[in-house]
Amino acid sequence: MAEKTENALVRTKGLKKYFKVSGRWLHAVDDIDIDIDQGKTLGVVGESGCGKSTLGRVLLRLIEPTSGKIFYDGNDITGYKGTQLKKIRSQMQIIFQDPYSSLNPRMSVAEIIAEYMIVNRAYRRKADAFNQAAKLMDMVGLARRYANLYPHELDGGRRQRIGVARALSLNPKFIVCDEPVSALDVSIQAQILNLLMDLQEEMGLTYMFITHDLSVVRHISSEIMVMYLGQCVERAEADELFRNPVHPYTKALLSAIPEPDIETRNKEIKVLRGEVTSPIDPPAGCRFAPRCELATENCMTDAIELVDRGGGHFAACVNLSGQRTN
Ligand SMILES: Nc1ncnc2c1ncn2[C@@H]1O[C@H](COP(=O)(O)OP(=O)(O)OP(=O)(O)O)[C@@H](O)[C@H]1O
Ligand SMILES: [Mg+2]
């Protein structure tokens, strides 16, 4: 009998995804535990290559995990195959960063939105799928006059609305939003974020929201996980993470967010030293240590654990464990 979880719609336990590269192992996702409650959003933040997209894809079972478990709605779906997998996949969708490359340029807006419904035989008649596509266009704020246009005829914000409508077409409960606003102008970013938040409220959706930009996730996320080279280095409720960041990497990411307030604009920006080290066969110890100003010799060798610093605020840093700084 599959293990039942409490409120979490999506949960992972010790999730790992390693890729074999020239006979060695690239640790893209390395021992990740997450819990996302129904109707909530987990923001996942980190620099390019830290494993965010891989985590999203493994969760949706688009790629196979190396080890660990994935639970959906209380059921262990790690080993699901065939019709069982197909059924669960329709409840879990993804919205991509670049709406242009993820939309078929030869299909009209209505055809793109209706496609999943037609392929999955959600309706007996194609006309019903197109009727539903028109309703989805209303829901995401796309005027119906765009139905027969092609993606290249629309701007980036409207293209992303097509991506959102398509993701909603099979009535999912969980959506991985993989950098959905990173390719958009700042003014359009806010519109898409607001749309996603409105839809979440109306439909009780659960999101994993991936971004390299911490400032984007503050308002949309219930909880935020900061990743570094495949691992979670800090995880906390969103406001708590911004108010009281403890990991040196999180602090550096936060200090790089531009200040809108002229009074506080002179704050010190912690420049991250050096490059991200290789994720291939990473050494024991803290993966951030080579760039960390607090690092001691122990950091290079000691295994680090995510420690609960109280109230569900977890951080993985040997210099912090056991003591709260405020
Ligand atoms: N199919 C693959 N084969 C080999 N390595 C891969 C594969 N997919 C991803 N990787 C590697 O896994 C690591 C994590 O990649 P991933 O795309 O998940 O990062 P990301 O955090 O989404 O980065 P970005 O912000 O650039 O989108 C990277 O080192 C990447 O090169
Ligand atoms: Mg990515």
Side-chain angles (χ1 to χ4, degrees):
M1 182 68 197
E3 190 180 333
K4 275 275 173 194
T5 55
E6 301 261 313
N7 297 319
L9 181 70
V10 177
R11 191 164 82 93
T12 66
K13 193 86 197 103
L15 197 63
K16 294 185 183 175
K17 178 64 190 180
Y18 295 175
F19 294 107
K20 195 141 204 184
V21 178
S22 313
R24 299 167 72 198
W25 290 108
L26 186 152
H27 295 219
V29 170
D30 212 354
D31 206 3
I32 296 286
D33 294 341
I34 59 168
D35 267 278
I36 318 178
D37 284 352
Q38 161 88 45
K40 303 282 187 202
T41 300
L42 174 70
V44 176
V45 188
E47 281 166 292
S48 182
C50 72
K52 306 178 297 292
S53 296
T54 305
L55 174 62
R57 271 151 229 233
V58 176
L59 270 186
L60 301 182
R61 293 282 326 272
L62 296 172
I63 48 179
E64 290 302 310
T66 303
S67 64
K69 296 228 173 278
I70 306 159
F71 301 91
Y72 176 79
D73 207 6
N75 296 310
D76 180 353
I77 64 161
T78 326
Y80 276 22
K81 292 193 174 62
T83 41
Q84 229 184 359
L85 182 59
K86 201 170 160 214
K87 205 167 150 203
I88 211 85
R89 276 217 185 116
S90 67
Q91 296 185 35
M92 313 204 288
Q93 293 293 324
I94 184 161
I95 301 171
F96 297 97
Q97 164 171 359
D98 181 357
Y100 198 55
S101 64
S102 66
L103 304 175
N104 186 335
R106 280 180 283 279
M107 287 167 78
S108 70
V109 172
E111 285 168 343
I112 292 170
I113 300 173
E115 188 190 9
Y116 291 178
M117 295 185 276
I118 293 169
V119 171
N120 285 279
R121 296 180 212 276
Y123 296 93
R124 274 202 294 148
R125 298 181 321 134
K126 266 193 185 176
D128 291 334
F130 280 98
N131 280 340
Q132 181 60 16
K135 286 186 195 154
L136 285 161
M137 288 181 71
D138 296 343
M139 278 170 66
V140 301
L142 262 181
R144 289 193 185 192
R145 66 175 181 280
Y146 298 125
N148 296 318
L149 298 186
Y150 291 83
H152 73 270
E153 297 178 275
L154 302 179
D155 60 34
R158 291 199 176 90
R159 283 203 288 261
Q160 193 53 294
R161 287 177 196 267
I162 305 173
V164 175
R166 178 177 61 178
L168 294 176
S169 63
L170 295 176
N171 215 3
K173 290 187 183 166
F174 174 58
I175 303 181
V176 172
C177 308
D178 191 352
E179 307 258 14
V181 300
S182 305
L184 304 176
D185 290 348
V186 174
S187 59
I188 312 285
Q189 285 188 355
Q191 293 175 13
I192 298 294
L193 287 172
N194 285 335
L195 171 68
L196 289 170
M197 287 191 280
D198 289 346
L199 291 168
Q200 177 168 51
E201 206 172 295
E202 281 162 36
M203 304 167 73
L205 295 167
T206 306
Y207 294 145
M208 182 162 109
F209 193 101
I210 294 171
T211 176
H212 60 275
D213 181 354
L214 249 178
S215 58
V216 165
V217 278
R218 179 166 195 173
H219 299 296
I220 200 169
S221 303
S222 333
E223 204 186 12
I224 295 176
M225 173 167 84
V226 180
M227 281 181 80
Y228 193 81
L229 279 177
Q231 297 179 320
C232 169
V233 294
E234 186 161 3
R235 196 179 87 206
E237 187 257 314
D239 284 337
E240 161 72 6
L241 190 93
F242 274 80
R243 256 195 324 261
N244 185 33
V246 291
H247 196 284
Y249 180 60
T250 312
K251 285 184 175 174
L253 287 182
L254 279 170
S255 81
I257 296 178
E259 271 305 332
D261 189 349
I262 216 133
E263 301 279 308
T264 50
R265 208 173 272 175
N266 291 332
K267 72 175 182 182
E268 189 198 352
I269 295 183
K270 290 186 198 312
V271 178
L272 281 169
R273 299 181 300 169
E275 297 283 315
V276 180
T277 41
S278 169
I280 299 177
D281 292 336
C286 174
R287 291 180 193 176
F288 183 62
R291 300 172 83 188
C292 181
E293 52 191 25
L294 299 179
T296 61
E297 263 176 41
N298 291 346
C299 297
M300 308 290 178
T301 50
D302 290 1
I304 44 155
E305 275 177 37
L306 263 184
V307 177
D308 189 350
R309 300 168 51 76
H313 188 156
F314 291 83
C317 176
V318 286
N319 289 319
L320 304 167
S321 52
Q323 71 211 339
R324 243 181 116 90
T325 46
N326 63 341

mmCIF file of all heavy atoms in Angstrom, residues 232-257:
data_model
loop_
_atom_site.group_PDB
_atom_site.id
_atom_site.type_symbol
_atom_site.label_atom_id
_atom_site.label_comp_id
_atom_site.label_asym_id
_atom_site.label_seq_id
_atom_site.Cartn_x
_atom_site.Cartn_y
_atom_site.Cartn_z
ATOM 1 N N CYS A 232 19.478 21.642 -1.705
ATOM 2 C CA CYS A 232 18.754 22.723 -1.045
ATOM 3 C C CYS A 232 19.678 23.280 0.032
ATOM 4 O O CYS A 232 20.138 22.541 0.894
ATOM 5 C CB CYS A 232 17.472 22.179 -0.408
ATOM 6 S SG CYS A 232 16.660 23.360 0.680
ATOM 7 N N VAL A 233 19.974 24.583 -0.024
ATOM 8 C CA VAL A 233 20.824 25.168 1.023
ATOM 9 C C VAL A 233 20.001 25.912 2.068
ATOM 10 O O VAL A 233 20.439 26.096 3.202
ATOM 11 C CB VAL A 233 21.937 26.094 0.459
ATOM 12 C CG1 VAL A 233 22.932 25.294 -0.366
ATOM 13 C CG2 VAL A 233 21.367 27.247 -0.328
ATOM 14 N N GLU A 234 18.805 26.357 1.678
ATOM 15 C CA GLU A 234 17.941 27.032 2.652
ATOM 16 C C GLU A 234 16.494 26.941 2.191
ATOM 17 O O GLU A 234 16.207 26.994 0.989
ATOM 18 C CB GLU A 234 18.357 28.507 2.804
ATOM 19 C CG GLU A 234 17.588 29.227 3.898
ATOM 20 C CD GLU A 234 18.265 30.509 4.385
ATOM 21 O OE1 GLU A 234 19.316 30.893 3.833
ATOM 22 O OE2 GLU A 234 17.736 31.116 5.335
ATOM 23 N N ARG A 235 15.613 26.792 3.156
ATOM 24 C CA ARG A 235 14.186 26.697 2.837
ATOM 25 C C ARG A 235 13.403 27.318 3.985
ATOM 26 O O ARG A 235 13.667 27.039 5.145
ATOM 27 C CB ARG A 235 13.819 25.216 2.717
ATOM 28 C CG ARG A 235 12.511 24.948 2.031
ATOM 29 C CD ARG A 235 12.277 23.461 1.964
ATOM 30 N NE ARG A 235 11.616 22.997 3.168
ATOM 31 C CZ ARG A 235 11.701 21.756 3.644
ATOM 32 N NH1 ARG A 235 12.470 20.848 3.042
ATOM 33 N NH2 ARG A 235 11.038 21.401 4.712
ATOM 34 N N ALA A 236 12.488 28.196 3.662
ATOM 35 C CA ALA A 236 11.690 28.837 4.713
ATOM 36 C C ALA A 236 10.438 29.424 4.100
ATOM 37 O O ALA A 236 10.335 29.569 2.885
ATOM 38 C CB ALA A 236 12.481 29.952 5.386
ATOM 39 N N GLU A 237 9.519 29.785 4.959
ATOM 40 C CA GLU A 237 8.333 30.515 4.537
ATOM 41 C C GLU A 237 8.839 31.815 3.879
ATOM 42 O O GLU A 237 9.858 32.375 4.294
ATOM 43 C CB GLU A 237 7.518 30.760 5.806
ATOM 44 C CG GLU A 237 6.148 31.350 5.640
ATOM 45 C CD GLU A 237 6.159 32.815 5.988
ATOM 46 O OE1 GLU A 237 6.753 33.155 7.032
ATOM 47 O OE2 GLU A 237 5.607 33.591 5.206
ATOM 48 N N ALA A 238 8.151 32.284 2.808
ATOM 49 C CA ALA A 238 8.715 33.333 1.948
ATOM 50 C C ALA A 238 9.111 34.597 2.713
ATOM 51 O O ALA A 238 10.247 35.076 2.587
ATOM 52 C CB ALA A 238 7.735 33.664 0.828
ATOM 53 N N ASP A 239 8.208 35.144 3.529
ATOM 54 C CA ASP A 239 8.533 36.390 4.237
ATOM 55 C C ASP A 239 9.693 36.185 5.195
ATOM 56 O O ASP A 239 10.556 37.047 5.332
ATOM 57 C CB ASP A 239 7.306 36.907 5.010
ATOM 58 C CG ASP A 239 6.315 37.538 4.054
ATOM 59 O OD1 ASP A 239 6.738 37.956 2.950
ATOM 60 O OD2 ASP A 239 5.113 37.591 4.392
ATOM 61 N N GLU A 240 9.712 35.038 5.861
ATOM 62 C CA GLU A 240 10.788 34.722 6.803
ATOM 63 C C GLU A 240 12.143 34.693 6.075
ATOM 64 O O GLU A 240 13.136 35.212 6.573
ATOM 65 C CB GLU A 240 10.481 33.376 7.492
ATOM 66 C CG GLU A 240 11.633 32.662 8.148
ATOM 67 C CD GLU A 240 12.136 33.316 9.435
ATOM 68 O OE1 GLU A 240 11.523 34.287 9.902
ATOM 69 O OE2 GLU A 240 13.186 32.849 9.941
ATOM 70 N N LEU A 241 12.172 34.104 4.877
ATOM 71 C CA LEU A 241 13.432 34.021 4.139
ATOM 72 C C LEU A 241 13.958 35.419 3.798
ATOM 73 O O LEU A 241 15.160 35.681 3.881
ATOM 74 C CB LEU A 241 13.257 33.206 2.848
ATOM 75 C CG LEU A 241 14.583 32.891 2.162
ATOM 76 C CD1 LEU A 241 15.116 31.546 2.625
ATOM 77 C CD2 LEU A 241 14.461 32.906 0.663
ATOM 78 N N PHE A 242 13.048 36.318 3.419
ATOM 79 C CA PHE A 242 13.470 37.671 3.088
ATOM 80 C C PHE A 242 13.866 38.468 4.338
ATOM 81 O O PHE A 242 14.791 39.264 4.304
ATOM 82 C CB PHE A 242 12.353 38.412 2.333
ATOM 83 C CG PHE A 242 12.392 38.142 0.850
ATOM 84 C CD1 PHE A 242 11.871 36.968 0.327
ATOM 85 C CD2 PHE A 242 12.981 39.047 -0.020
ATOM 86 C CE1 PHE A 242 11.926 36.705 -1.025
ATOM 87 C CE2 PHE A 242 13.037 38.794 -1.382
ATOM 88 C CZ PHE A 242 12.503 37.627 -1.891
ATOM 89 N N ARG A 243 13.148 38.222 5.439
ATOM 90 C CA ARG A 243 13.426 38.966 6.678
ATOM 91 C C ARG A 243 14.679 38.479 7.365
ATOM 92 O O ARG A 243 15.434 39.248 7.916
ATOM 93 C CB ARG A 243 12.254 38.761 7.647
ATOM 94 C CG ARG A 243 11.313 39.936 7.776
ATOM 95 C CD ARG A 243 10.425 39.779 9.005
ATOM 96 N NE ARG A 243 10.021 38.433 9.313
ATOM 97 C CZ ARG A 243 8.842 37.911 8.990
ATOM 98 N NH1 ARG A 243 7.954 38.632 8.337
ATOM 99 N NH2 ARG A 243 8.533 36.673 9.309
ATOM 100 N N ASN A 244 14.889 37.167 7.301
ATOM 101 C CA ASN A 244 15.921 36.570 8.130
ATOM 102 C C ASN A 244 16.719 35.509 7.368
ATOM 103 O O ASN A 244 16.772 34.359 7.764
ATOM 104 C CB ASN A 244 15.220 35.949 9.358
ATOM 105 C CG ASN A 244 16.201 35.401 10.356
ATOM 106 O OD1 ASN A 244 17.301 35.950 10.515
ATOM 107 N ND2 ASN A 244 15.834 34.307 11.003
ATOM 108 N N PRO A 245 17.350 35.902 6.248
ATOM 109 C CA PRO A 245 18.106 34.897 5.495
ATOM 110 C C PRO A 245 19.319 34.486 6.331
ATOM 111 O O PRO A 245 19.916 35.333 6.988
ATOM 112 C CB PRO A 245 18.548 35.657 4.239
ATOM 113 C CG PRO A 245 18.584 37.083 4.662
ATOM 114 C CD PRO A 245 17.502 37.253 5.693
ATOM 115 N N VAL A 246 19.677 33.202 6.338
ATOM 116 C CA VAL A 246 20.817 32.808 7.168
ATOM 117 C C VAL A 246 21.970 32.221 6.353
ATOM 118 O O VAL A 246 23.123 32.382 6.720
ATOM 119 C CB VAL A 246 20.409 31.812 8.286
ATOM 120 C CG1 VAL A 246 19.551 32.508 9.321
ATOM 121 C CG2 VAL A 246 19.717 30.597 7.756
ATOM 122 N N HIS A 247 21.681 31.570 5.248
ATOM 123 C CA HIS A 247 22.780 30.966 4.488
ATOM 124 C C HIS A 247 23.537 32.050 3.707
ATOM 125 O O HIS A 247 22.917 32.922 3.104
ATOM 126 C CB HIS A 247 22.227 29.908 3.532
ATOM 127 C CG HIS A 247 23.297 28.992 3.019
ATOM 128 N ND1 HIS A 247 24.186 29.376 2.052
ATOM 129 C CD2 HIS A 247 23.635 27.720 3.369
ATOM 130 C CE1 HIS A 247 25.021 28.374 1.810
ATOM 131 N NE2 HIS A 247 24.710 27.358 2.601
ATOM 132 N N PRO A 248 24.884 31.978 3.707
ATOM 133 C CA PRO A 248 25.653 33.014 3.001
ATOM 134 C C PRO A 248 25.259 33.124 1.514
ATOM 135 O O PRO A 248 25.305 34.220 0.953
ATOM 136 C CB PRO A 248 27.107 32.547 3.137
ATOM 137 C CG PRO A 248 27.114 31.646 4.324
ATOM 138 C CD PRO A 248 25.757 31.021 4.427
ATOM 139 N N TYR A 249 24.862 32.020 0.913
ATOM 140 C CA TYR A 249 24.466 32.080 -0.501
ATOM 141 C C TYR A 249 23.149 32.840 -0.670
ATOM 142 O O TYR A 249 23.017 33.690 -1.548
ATOM 143 C CB TYR A 249 24.351 30.660 -1.070
ATOM 144 C CG TYR A 249 23.936 30.642 -2.524
ATOM 145 C CD1 TYR A 249 24.711 31.275 -3.497
ATOM 146 C CD2 TYR A 249 22.770 30.008 -2.927
ATOM 147 C CE1 TYR A 249 24.329 31.280 -4.830
ATOM 148 C CE2 TYR A 249 22.380 29.994 -4.261
ATOM 149 C CZ TYR A 249 23.167 30.636 -5.210
ATOM 150 O OH TYR A 249 22.783 30.638 -6.529
ATOM 151 N N THR A 250 22.180 32.559 0.203
ATOM 152 C CA THR A 250 20.898 33.278 0.144
ATOM 153 C C THR A 250 21.130 34.766 0.368
ATOM 154 O O THR A 250 20.560 35.610 -0.320
ATOM 155 C CB THR A 250 19.934 32.752 1.231
ATOM 156 O OG1 THR A 250 19.925 31.334 1.195
ATOM 157 C CG2 THR A 250 18.531 33.289 1.025
ATOM 158 N N LYS A 251 22.002 35.077 1.332
ATOM 159 C CA LYS A 251 22.285 36.490 1.627
ATOM 160 C C LYS A 251 22.858 37.186 0.398
ATOM 161 O O LYS A 251 22.508 38.319 0.090
ATOM 162 C CB LYS A 251 23.271 36.606 2.792
ATOM 163 C CG LYS A 251 22.620 36.303 4.129
ATOM 164 C CD LYS A 251 23.614 36.540 5.248
ATOM 165 C CE LYS A 251 22.948 36.353 6.592
ATOM 166 N NZ LYS A 251 23.880 36.422 7.686
ATOM 167 N N ALA A 252 23.759 36.482 -0.305
ATOM 168 C CA ALA A 252 24.358 37.079 -1.505
ATOM 169 C C ALA A 252 23.296 37.292 -2.580
ATOM 170 O O ALA A 252 23.256 38.335 -3.227
ATOM 171 C CB ALA A 252 25.484 36.179 -2.024
ATOM 172 N N LEU A 253 22.411 36.310 -2.757
ATOM 173 C CA LEU A 253 21.348 36.466 -3.764
ATOM 174 C C LEU A 253 20.446 37.648 -3.409
ATOM 175 O O LEU A 253 20.082 38.446 -4.274
ATOM 176 C CB LEU A 253 20.471 35.205 -3.841
ATOM 177 C CG LEU A 253 21.037 33.954 -4.502
ATOM 178 C CD1 LEU A 253 19.977 32.858 -4.507
ATOM 179 C CD2 LEU A 253 21.495 34.234 -5.926
ATOM 180 N N LEU A 254 20.127 37.775 -2.119
ATOM 181 C CA LEU A 254 19.232 38.859 -1.688
ATOM 182 C C LEU A 254 19.885 40.222 -1.844
ATOM 183 O O LEU A 254 19.231 41.185 -2.222
ATOM 184 C CB LEU A 254 18.824 38.657 -0.222
ATOM 185 C CG LEU A 254 17.697 37.667 0.013
ATOM 186 C CD1 LEU A 254 17.552 37.382 1.495
ATOM 187 C CD2 LEU A 254 16.379 38.209 -0.527
ATOM 188 N N SER A 255 21.184 40.277 -1.571
ATOM 189 C CA SER A 255 21.845 41.582 -1.637
ATOM 190 C C SER A 255 21.951 42.066 -3.081
ATOM 191 O O SER A 255 22.158 43.248 -3.332
ATOM 192 C CB SER A 255 23.228 41.528 -0.995
ATOM 193 O OG SER A 255 24.166 40.981 -1.889
ATOM 194 N N ALA A 256 21.789 41.158 -4.022
ATOM 195 C CA ALA A 256 21.897 41.540 -5.437
ATOM 196 C C ALA A 256 20.585 42.072 -5.997
ATOM 197 O O ALA A 256 20.545 42.561 -7.121
ATOM 198 C CB ALA A 256 22.366 40.334 -6.259
ATOM 199 N N ILE A 257 19.501 42.009 -5.200
ATOM 200 C CA ILE A 257 18.217 42.531 -5.693
ATOM 201 C C ILE A 257 18.260 44.058 -5.666
ATOM 202 O O ILE A 257 18.567 44.647 -4.638
ATOM 203 C CB ILE A 257 17.039 42.032 -4.809
ATOM 204 C CG1 ILE A 257 16.913 40.511 -4.912
ATOM 205 C CG2 ILE A 257 15.726 42.703 -5.207
ATOM 206 C CD1 ILE A 257 15.821 39.920 -4.041
#
